[in-house]
Amino acid sequence: MTTKPWFINFKRLARPEVRLFCFPYAGGSAAIFHGFINDLPRGFELWGANLPGHGSRVNEPPMTDLMALADSLAAAMVPLIDRTPFVLWGHSMGAHLAFEIARLLRRRNLPMPQQLVVTASPAPQLPRHNRAWYTLPDEQLAAELHKHNGLPLELLDEPQLLALLLPALRADLYL
């Protein structure tokens, strides 16, 4: 089995002014960033993180080690960040990934992002109220996700599709 790339490029430019690396929320794939293409300023190149267990990598086991995942993503970024300014943007779980990637780049004396943009996540120094949803049985996990607008009602009636999606969601929640 061949491994899919860690990033999907949705807007390649001959000479980008800025590379935007996007990291998805729990259960999200790189595909959620495709719609950003038309809204980006001129000169921005768009890259979406392509995580194991999600989207085009659904047949790969999802990762449950945040630092190992951040390390793999940072390593995949290195050839893309040599001279072009870049921005990291992460939403929810992706915010944690973007933050850890920025820390890894700094520790390794590699180029740093012009900006680190995090959304839907508290600052790392703030107390967190972690709920161990990843430990819930599938039916309860699906109900909790639906209750918090993280899973459409229609999906609850599709056990085969739910069985395909829940392992990656569970891994993301563990992260």
Side-chain angles (χ1 to χ4, degrees), residues 1-8 10 24-33 48-63 93 161 164-169 172:
M1 173 173 78
T2 60
T3 302
K4 303 277 184 177
W6 282 97
F7 287 94
I8 295 176
F10 292 111
Y25 50 81
S29 71
I32 64 170
F33 303 114
N50 192 29
L51 308 179
H54 303 74
S56 67
R57 297 179 75 179
V58 71
N59 293 324
E60 297 176 43
M63 295 181 73
M93 178 200 72
L161 188 53
L164 183 66
L165 297 175
L166 281 181
L169 262 167
D172 291 352

Side-chain angles (χ1 to χ4, degrees), residues 44-123:
F44 271 66
E45 192 171 73
L46 177 62
W47 295 81
N50 192 29
L51 308 179
H54 303 74
S56 67
R57 297 179 75 179
V58 71
N59 293 324
E60 297 176 43
M63 295 181 73
T64 56
D65 182 330
L66 180 67
M67 295 312 296
L69 182 55
D71 186 59
S72 294
L73 288 162
M77 288 174 59
V78 168
L80 301 168
I81 61 174
D82 57 355
R83 291 189 178 102
T84 303
F86 65 100
V87 172
L88 303 179
W89 177 69
H91 183 74
S92 193
M93 178 200 72
H96 296 275
L97 274 174
F99 177 77
E100 291 301 337
I101 289 167
R103 293 177 68 206
L104 282 171
L105 295 174
R106 183 185 66 212
R107 280 196 296 272
R108 295 174 183 167
N109 293 316
L110 292 167
M112 292 295 294
Q114 280 189 331
Q115 292 183 348
L116 168 63
V117 181
V118 295
T119 55
S121 179

Side-chain angles (χ1 to χ4, degrees), residues 134-146:
Y134 62 90
T135 64
L136 295 175
D138 287 354
E139 193 172 290
Q140 269 187 284
L141 175 58
E144 279 297 319
L145 289 168
H146 172 69

